[in-house]
């Protein structure tokens, strides 16, 4: 099929508008941000693991 | 005489070694930024938004995968009246037209088949063919560009489109995960790499407000953005998606990475396949770096691409192979000129390496625990066994020396001080030689025994060095102005099989 026939007939349509943020959407965003906060904590844990490695190495070499 | 090297010369060599720590520190900085994403994100500006979306699906001989991709798109949590799929068939010679015709019949008014009679010019040309059609029709308010093998999670598109509720956003990228099942060592390495390069790095890029690349496999654009960038995809390079990402930001619109919009893609299962794909990407990046030469490290009110952070992110990846070779050459020279200085510089570089390796690997595994469960071995072995041994030596030199001495003694060898000296020289050379091991793995792959030997070489030499070797090769190809051939990644439906099994698709 060639491009001109590809789509349905051109019908002018009104632009789609964003909907209001309802309770379900707010909850979804809250849980997304909560996950990201959890990642921040995991990042701190990863940094703590590095600190342990550095301390163990320093003690080992001293 | 080598030993007569001036003091300034020695310090220059030390500086070259220290310079190699810069990409490592930049990577560390990038990962630290991820922890700020929970505050610096775009979720406050989001709203439920379902614009009429045209999906462009470029396809060349994709009969094995395209049917499942279309079926999955029809299962999206998205108003079906607001979705149209345009398969741009790039003169396929397999059953792609038949599969698409079947889907068009099954989903009337939703699936359209656009066929190019002469194909093979590359993805950008194929996309432009489809863009002409969808832009000519005012029905389309947003455009999703995806690859034929990409499988969308049902909520992925809605999670992307919610960002377009903010007019200042031009495009949104999804998180592409490796979906081949059953996978092999290569797809597991890629799975881990994608967590680091997408889920991690792009979160950091969201924080600084500058995005390096919208993944070509799943990118959503607003119509306004497409019109602002000229309604066409760049055809002059091999990195059409990165060019689009840059043009979007240069036109003053934001590009957002949505880590919770998950899509699955089938990635190469061999070194040869990976090499072709990454060479294309790496050459595209060289072309882009040249094309936007006036942009780097120059602040602008319209975009953040000229920020110092973004410049550091870009060039530390772009120049990593060059840094490795320079550091290695400097260390080897220093070895013969001033061993103690060489040793101190080497220890400095590898201690930074250890800190970065432990932090980045641990954090990356924490970011995507599904990948962590599946690919933790590849995560640990990402730098290669030899580099891990050097890391162990850097951390615990006495214990390591004891182990080598007694281990060698047990099997009847004696390790002298002289031998240790040469082992250290080997470690200096390894910084660049690891890339050669990756090349050997590639050469071995098609030969007898290659199925066993080439993975072995990748585990020994490292997957990271393999990627550096590809980048190095891209520099050479670009310097030699080699032909820009579009090497398509072979898709056989491993991702589709996995998804069908997981979701019990009809």
């Amino acid at each position: 099929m060639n491009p001109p026939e590809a789509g349905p007939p051109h019908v002018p349509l009104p632009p789609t508008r964003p909907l209001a943020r309802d309770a379900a959407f707010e909850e979804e965003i809250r849980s997304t941000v909560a996950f990201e906060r959890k990642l921040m904590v995991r990042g701190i844990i990863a940094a703590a693991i590095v600190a342990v490695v550095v301390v163990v190495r320093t003690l080992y070499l001293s | 005489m080598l030993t007569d090297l001036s003091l300034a010369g020695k310090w220059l060599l030390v500086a070259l070694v220290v310079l190699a720590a810069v990409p490592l520190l930049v990577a560390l900085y990038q990962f630290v930024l991820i922890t700020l994403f929970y505050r610096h994100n775009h979720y406050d500006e989001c709203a439920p938004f379902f614009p009429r979306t045209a999906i462009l699906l470029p396809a060349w001989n994709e009969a094995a995968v395209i049917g499942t991709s279309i079926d999955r798109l029809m299962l999206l949590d998205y108003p079906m009246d607001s979705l149209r799929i345009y398969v741009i068939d790039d003169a396929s010679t397999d059953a792609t037209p038949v599969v698409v015709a079947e889907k068009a019949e099954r989903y009337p008014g939703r699936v359209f088949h656009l066929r190019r009679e002469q194909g093979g010019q590359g993805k950008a040309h194929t996309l432009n063919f489809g863009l002409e059609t969808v832009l000519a029709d005012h029905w389309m308010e947003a455009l999703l560009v995806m690859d034929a093998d990409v499988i969308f999670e049902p909520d992925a598109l809605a999670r992307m489109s919610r960002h377009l509720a903010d007019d200042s956003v031009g495009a949104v990228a999804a998180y592409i995960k490796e979906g081949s099942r059953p996978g092999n060592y290569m797809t597991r390495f890629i799975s881990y790499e994608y967590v680091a390069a997408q889920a991690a790095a792009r979160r950091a890029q969201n924080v600084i407000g500058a995005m390096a690349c919208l993944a070509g496999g799943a990118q959503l654009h607003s119509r306004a953005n497409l019109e602002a960038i000229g309604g066409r995809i760049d055809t002059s390079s091999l990195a059409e998606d990165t060019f689009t990402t840059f043009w979007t930001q240069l036109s003053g619109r934001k590009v957002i990475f949505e880590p919770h919009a998950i899509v699955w893609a089938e990635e190469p299962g061999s070194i040869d396949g990976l090499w072709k794909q990454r060479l294309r990407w790496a050459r595209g990046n060289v072309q882009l770096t040249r094309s936007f030469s006036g942009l780097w490290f120059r602040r602008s009110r319209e975009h953040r691409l000229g920020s110092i952070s973004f410049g550091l992110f870009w060039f530390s990846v772009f120049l990593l192979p060059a840094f490795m070779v320079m550091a290695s050459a400097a260390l080897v020279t220093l070895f013969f000129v001033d061993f103690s200085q060489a040793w101190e510089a080497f220890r400095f570089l590898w201690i930074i390496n250890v800190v970065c390796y432990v932090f980045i690997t641990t954090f990356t595994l924490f970011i995507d625990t599904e990948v962590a469960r599946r690919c933790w071995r590849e995560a640990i072995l990402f730098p290669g066994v030899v580099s891990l041994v050097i890391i162990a030596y850097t951390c615990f030199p006495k214990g390591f020396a004891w182990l080598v001495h007694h281990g060698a003694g047990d099997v009847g060898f004696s390790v002298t001080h002289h031998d240790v000296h040469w082992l250290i020289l080997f470690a200096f050379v390894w910084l660049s030689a690891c890339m050669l091991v990756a090349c050997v793995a590639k050469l071995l792959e098609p030969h007898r025994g290659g199925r066993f030997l080439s993975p072995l070489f990748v585990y020994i030499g490292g997957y990271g060095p393999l990627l550096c070797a590809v980048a190095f090769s891209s520099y050479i190809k670009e310097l030699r102005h080699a032909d820009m051939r579009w090497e398509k990644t072979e898709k056989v439906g491993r991702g589709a099989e996995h998804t069908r099994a997981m979701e019990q698709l009809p």
Side-chain angles (χ1 to χ4, degrees):
Chain A
M1 191 181 284
N2 287 318
E5 296 93 59
H10 297 206
V11 181
L13 290 163
T16 311
R17 302 277 175 218
L19 306 172
R21 289 171 65 129
D22 57 9
F25 188 82
E26 289 293 353
E27 182 50 38
E28 190 185 331
I29 295 293
R30 241 194 314 275
S31 68
T32 302
V33 174
F35 177 85
E36 296 302 332
R37 193 172 288 118
K38 210 188 288 180
L39 271 195
M40 183 264 290
V41 175
R42 289 176 189 178
I44 293 168
I45 294 169
I49 292 170
V50 173
V52 168
V53 171
V54 171
V55 168
V56 168
R57 184 189 178 276
T58 310
L59 291 174
Y60 169 81
L61 288 181
S62 63
Chain B
M1 283 285 289
L2 267 174
T3 45
D4 291 339
L5 203 69
S6 68
L7 193 67
K10 281 184 197 171
W11 281 109
L12 179 70
L13 292 173
V14 172
L16 286 177
V17 180
V18 173
L19 201 64
V22 172
L24 303 172
L25 292 170
V26 170
L28 199 67
Y29 166 54
Q30 199 167 6
F31 271 74
V32 169
L33 284 179
I34 297 165
T35 60
L36 303 179
F37 182 58
Y38 83 100
R39 285 177 75 97
H40 298 271
N41 55 55
H42 187 253
Y43 294 119
D44 282 344
E45 283 78 42
C46 285
F49 185 39
F50 305 98
R52 295 186 295 272
T53 303
I55 301 175
L56 281 193
L57 235 163
W60 179 71
N61 291 351
E62 306 279 10
V65 294
I66 201 157
T68 310
S69 297
I70 294 172
D71 285 337
R72 279 304 296 243
L73 288 170
M74 288 297 148
L75 294 175
L76 285 173
D77 292 338
Y78 202 88
M80 276 299 121
D81 287 349
S82 298
L83 274 188
R84 287 181 187 173
I85 301 169
Y86 295 85
V87 178
I88 317 150
D89 176 3
D90 198 30
S92 295
T93 51
D94 70 349
T96 300
V98 179
V99 176
V100 178
E102 192 185 291
K103 296 299 171 191
E105 200 178 319
R106 184 170 168 192
Y107 308 113
R110 297 282 158 263
V111 178
F112 304 99
H113 182 203
L114 310 179
R115 184 167 169 90
R116 296 184 79 200
E117 291 309 328
Q118 282 189 327
Q121 288 175 291
K123 188 177 170 186
H125 286 276
T126 314
L127 285 174
N128 282 333
F129 186 80
L131 264 172
E132 253 175 57
T133 306
V134 293
L135 279 170
D137 186 345
H138 288 279
W139 181 88
M140 187 271 283
E141 295 174 311
L143 179 86
L144 177 69
V145 177
M146 61 178 281
D147 287 341
D149 63 303
V150 169
I151 306 285
F152 272 64
E153 288 288 325
D155 57 2
L157 182 57
R159 287 186 169 196
M160 292 167 84
S161 66
R162 61 191 178 179
H163 293 282
L164 293 185
D166 173 7
D167 288 339
S168 69
V169 174
V172 185
Y175 171 24
I176 298 185
K177 293 182 67 163
E178 208 295 317
S180 305
R181 301 292 185 279
N184 63 6
Y185 81 104
M186 182 56 72
T187 58
R188 286 193 297 275
F189 269 123
I190 295 172
S191 296
Y192 171 74
E193 181 206 353
Y194 277 12
V195 183
Q198 290 190 50
R202 288 180 187 167
R203 271 184 171 93
Q205 289 167 24
N206 270 345
V207 171
I208 64 162
M211 190 62 58
C213 183
L214 281 159
Q219 48 178 273
L220 181 70
H221 294 265
S222 69
R223 183 184 185 104
N225 182 52
L226 287 170
E227 288 172 344
I229 63 172
R232 288 185 71 75
I233 306 287
D234 178 85
T235 53
S236 66
S237 86
L238 289 166
E240 84 296 334
D241 43 6
T242 316
F243 269 80
T244 309
T245 312
F246 272 56
W247 284 122
T248 296
Q249 292 167 95
L250 289 170
S251 73
R253 287 185 167 79
K254 292 182 203 160
V255 172
I256 303 287
F257 169 64
E258 174 46 88
H260 301 276
I262 293 171
V263 303
W264 299 86
E266 181 185 334
E267 297 299 339
S270 66
I271 300 178
D272 188 53
L274 180 87
W275 195 282
K276 282 177 187 165
Q277 183 195 51
R278 299 311 168 90
L279 190 65
R280 177 159 49 82
W281 295 0
R283 286 189 67 188
N285 286 345
V286 177
Q287 292 159 357
L288 184 133
T289 308
R290 227 175 14 219
S291 294
F292 293 97
S293 56
L295 177 112
W296 309 109
F297 299 106
R298 289 182 191 178
R299 283 175 181 272
S300 162
R301 285 184 180 183
E302 280 78 40
H303 59 82
R304 301 294 315 277
L305 292 172
S307 68
I308 293 171
S309 292
F310 186 73
L312 288 173
F313 291 173
W314 183 269
F315 282 99
S316 53
V317 175
F318 182 70
L319 295 175
L320 184 62
F323 282 130
M324 285 165 69
V325 172
M326 280 194 306
S328 189
L331 280 169
V332 171
T333 312
L334 273 174
F335 178 87
F336 294 106
V337 175
D338 185 340
F339 178 77
S340 64
Q341 213 161 18
W343 176 241
E344 286 307 316
F346 175 76
R347 264 169 41 117
F348 166 80
L349 180 62
W350 277 86
I351 286 168
I352 300 280
N353 203 345
V354 170
V355 170
C356 293
Y357 168 73
V358 175
F359 182 65
I360 290 173
T361 308
T362 315
F363 199 3
T364 303
L365 292 174
F366 279 158
I367 287 172
D368 193 326
T369 48
E370 179 272 326
V371 173
R373 280 191 295 275
R374 206 159 36 85
C375 312
W376 60 271
R377 291 175 203 84
E378 283 70 23
I380 292 168
L381 292 169
F382 196 84
V385 172
V386 175
S387 291
L388 283 181
V389 171
I390 298 174
I391 283 175
Y393 179 57
T394 315
C395 285
F396 306 106
K398 288 179 201 164
F400 192 85
W402 183 88
L403 210 72
V404 169
H405 190 73
H406 285 81
D410 288 348
V411 291
F413 286 106
S414 64
V415 179
T416 64
H417 186 71
H418 189 69
D419 295 333
V420 172
H421 217 61
W422 288 114
L423 276 176
I424 289 170
L425 180 63
F426 169 78
F428 290 180
V429 174
W430 182 253
L431 262 178
S432 49
C434 56
M435 288 192 270
L436 290 177
V437 174
C439 295
V440 172
K442 181 180 182 288
L443 291 173
L444 284 173
E445 195 178 55
H447 296 287
R448 204 173 158 199
R451 269 185 69 180
F452 168 73
L453 282 176
S454 84
L456 186 71
F457 272 69
V458 173
Y459 281 114
I460 291 171
Y463 179 84
L466 172 63
L467 296 182
C468 284
V470 180
F472 208 89
S473 168
S474 75
Y475 298 166
I476 296 165
K477 292 237 177 211
E478 280 302 301
L479 280 172
R480 291 170 58 191
H481 302 290
D483 270 356
M484 285 207 301
R485 270 188 307 163
W486 184 271
E487 301 267 18
K488 182 182 169 288
T489 310
E490 193 194 354
K491 315 279 180 173
V492 293
R494 290 191 307 262
E497 275 168 28
H498 153 69
T499 313
R500 204 177 289 121
M502 295 280 286
E503 308 287 334
Q504 293 180 329
L505 273 173

